[in-house]
C-alpha cells in the first residue's frame, strides 16, 4: 500500500530543533516548495528532476521532546535561571562567542576583543553571564527573532538528545519511519543532521531495513563538527579524531552559511574525511533558516545529483 509523502518518498528531510508545535505535514507545506525552488534554481540548463507530491517527505520528531501522547501548545516561561550548568551553559557560550565573532553588533564576554580572542572560559557560566549571553544573542540577526524561552528550550533539546538514550532512540525511530525503499537522498538541518547521520551509521537499524538504498546525504547548518558538545558524543564514537562514514552513502554535501551561529564548524571534511563536499553560502539575515538553505542552488544541485546516483 502506498502512503503519499512517506514510504515512497525519494527525498526525506529531517528538521532541526524547536519544531515541536508542528507535524510532518505542516513542515512539508513549507519544506516541499523551498526544496523544489532550490532544485529549479540549480538547473540552469532547464533540466531538473520531476518531483511529484509523493517524492518529498518530512521526518517529524518534535513530539519526542514533549509528554508522550501530547503536542506542545505553550512553552514554559524559561529565563536565565533555567539554563542548566555544564552542557546547556557551554553550548550557550559557544553560540555567544560565535555570534560575537561574526556579528559586529554583538558584544562578547570580553567587550574589548568582541568575545573572540583572549577570553578564558569559566564553566559553568554563572547566572549574570548567562543573562549577558541571552541579551547579547538578541542582537544577532537570526536569534533576534527567537523568543528567549524558545532559545532556552532549544538548548535543552540539544542537551536531551545527547544525554537521554531513550529520547535519542525515539528521534531516530521517527527518522527511520519516514525512509522507504525508494528514498535516495536524506537531507538534515541543524540537529536533524545529527539524527540523519546517526541513523545512517546505525548498523543495527540498517540491518533491520535491508531495503534502504540511500546514496546521498545533504547536511544544512550542521553542528556535527563541534568538538566536545556534538562530535565527540556521536554514535558510533569517533576514533582518533575521525567520525565514521555513513553506511552506503556515496555523496555527502555539507552546506553552511559563513555567519551561521549554530553551524559552529563550517567544514566537516577534516572530521569525517575528504569525501565530504563542503560548500559555503550566504543566507542573509536568515543565516540558519531551513527554507533559505533549501532554496540555495548548491543545495538543489546536491539533491538533484543525489537522485541520479
Amino acid at each position: 500500500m502506498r502512503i503519499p509523502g512517506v514510504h515512497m518518498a525519494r527525498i526525506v528531510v529531517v528538521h532541526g530543533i524547536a519544531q515541536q508545535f508542528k507535524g510532518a505535514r505542516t513542515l512539508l507545506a513549507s519544506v516541499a516548495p523551498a526544496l523544489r525552488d532550490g532544485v529549479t534554481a540549480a538547473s540552469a540548463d532547464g533540466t531538473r528532476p520531476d518531483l511529484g507530491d509523493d517524492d518529498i517527505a518530512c521526518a517529524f520528531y518534535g513530539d519526542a521532546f514533549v509528554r508522550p501522547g501530547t503536542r506542545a501548545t505553550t512553552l514554559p516561561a524559561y529565563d536565565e535561571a533555567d539554563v542548566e550548568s555544564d552542557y546547556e551553559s557551554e553550548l550557550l557560550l559557544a553560540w555567544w562567542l560565535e555570534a560575537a565573532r561574526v556579528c559586529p553588533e554583538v558584544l562578547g564576554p570580553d567587550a574589548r576583543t568582541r568575545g573572540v580572542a583572549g577570553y578564558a572560559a569559566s564553566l559553568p557560566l554563572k547566572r549574570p553571564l548567562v543573562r549577558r549571553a541571552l541579551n547579547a544573542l538578541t542582537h544577532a540577526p537570526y536569534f533576534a527573532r527567537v523568543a528567549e524561552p524558545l532559545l532556552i528550550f532549544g538548548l535543552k533539546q540539544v542537551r536531551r538528545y545527547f544525554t537521554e538514550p531513550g529520547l535519542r532512540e525515539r528521534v531516530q525511530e521517527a527518522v527511520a519511519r519516514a525512509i522507504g525503499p525508494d528514498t535516495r537522498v536524506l537531507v538534515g538541518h541543524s540537529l536533524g543532521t545529527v539524527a540523519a547521520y546517526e541513523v545512517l551509521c546505525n548498523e543495527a537499524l540498517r540491518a533491520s531495513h535491508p531495503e534502504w538504498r540511500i546514496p546521498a546525504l545533504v547536511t544544512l547548518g550542521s553542528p556535527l563538527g563541534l568538538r566536545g558538545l556534538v562530535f565527540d558524543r556521536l554514535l558510533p564514537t569517533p576514533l582518533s579524531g575521525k567520525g565514521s562514514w555513513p553506511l552506503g552513502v556515496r555523496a555527502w554535501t555539507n552546506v553552511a552559511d559563513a555567519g551561521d551561529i549554530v553551524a559552529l564548524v563550517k567544514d566537516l571534511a577534516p572530521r569525517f574525511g575528504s569525501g565530504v563536499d563542503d560548500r559555503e553560502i550566504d543566507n542573509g539575515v536568515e543565516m540558519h533558516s531551513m527554507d533559505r538553505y533549501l532554496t540555495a542552488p548548491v543545495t538543489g544541485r546536491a539533491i538533484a545529483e543525489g537522485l541520479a546516483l
Side-chain angles (χ1 to χ4, degrees):
M1 174 181 175
R2 293 186 59 167
I3 301 177
V6 180
H7 293 298
M8 304 306 295
R10 292 194 289 161
I11 306 163
V12 172
V13 180
V14 188
H15 66 81
I17 61 175
Q19 301 295 330
Q20 64 279 355
F21 299 103
K22 301 180 181 179
R25 290 175 177 81
T26 309
L27 285 166
L28 188 62
S30 62
V31 164
L35 190 152
R36 286 190 175 97
D37 283 346
V39 171
T40 299
S43 306
D45 59 357
T47 61
R48 60 180 183 272
D50 182 18
L51 298 176
D53 291 340
D54 291 351
D55 286 322
I56 307 169
C58 287
F60 177 69
Y61 64 83
D63 52 354
F65 293 94
V66 299
R67 186 163 51 86
T70 67
R71 179 62 54 80
T73 56
T74 59
L75 281 175
Y78 289 131
D79 61 20
E80 67 271 18
D82 298 297
V83 176
E84 296 187 13
S85 299
D86 300 325
Y87 193 100
E88 291 178 21
S89 67
E90 187 173 350
L91 181 57
L92 177 62
L93 175 62
W95 286 352
W96 185 13
L97 292 173
E98 181 68 0
R101 187 183 72 83
V102 301
C103 305
E105 60 271 38
V106 176
L107 289 177
D110 182 350
R112 292 172 301 175
T113 59
R114 311 298 292 182
V116 179
Y119 177 71
S122 178
L123 294 169
L125 295 182
K126 303 299 183 184
R127 187 177 298 184
L129 270 181
V130 170
R131 179 71 267 157
R132 282 184 56 201
L134 294 169
N135 289 344
L137 287 174
T138 65
H139 297 286
Y142 179 78
F143 282 101
R145 287 183 291 278
V146 177
E148 184 173 298
L150 188 60
L151 190 156
I152 295 172
F153 191 57
L155 292 170
K156 293 183 179 299
Q157 286 189 333
V158 180
R159 188 260 303 163
R160 290 185 63 196
Y161 181 87
F162 286 108
T163 60
E164 297 182 19
L167 184 145
R168 192 178 200 161
E169 184 176 347
R170 290 196 298 276
V171 170
Q172 293 187 20
E173 287 173 349
V175 175
R177 284 195 299 271
I179 298 172
D182 292 339
T183 303
R184 295 295 176 267
V185 184
L186 192 57
V187 182
H189 172 250
S190 194
L191 182 62
T193 67
V194 178
Y197 168 83
E198 292 195 328
V199 164
L200 293 178
C201 290
N202 189 323
E203 292 186 4
L205 192 58
R206 295 299 299 266
S208 66
H209 291 281
E211 75 280 9
W212 286 0
R213 299 288 185 275
I214 306 172
L217 172 63
V218 180
T219 49
L220 311 172
S222 177
L224 276 165
L226 179 60
R227 295 299 303 265
L229 291 170
V230 177
F231 179 76
D232 298 292
R233 296 170 182 259
L234 293 173
L235 297 176
T237 303
L239 298 175
S240 302
K242 290 291 183 180
S244 297
W245 186 263
L247 299 171
V249 169
R250 293 157 55 192
W252 179 352
T253 303
N254 177 60
V255 185
D257 183 295
D260 191 337
I261 296 165
V262 177
L264 286 151
V265 178
K266 317 303 182 193
D267 294 335
L268 297 184
R271 298 276 192 266
F272 297 93
S274 59
V276 181
D277 183 9
D278 287 307
R279 298 299 184 94
E280 184 178 296
I281 63 171
D282 184 354
N283 286 332
V285 296
E286 295 285 338
M287 62 275 292
H288 192 60
S289 164
M290 179 164 63
D291 284 356
R292 286 286 178 92
Y293 271 115
L294 286 171
T295 57
V298 66
T299 303
R301 187 172 302 110
I303 291 171
E305 292 174 351
L307 291 173
L309 291 175

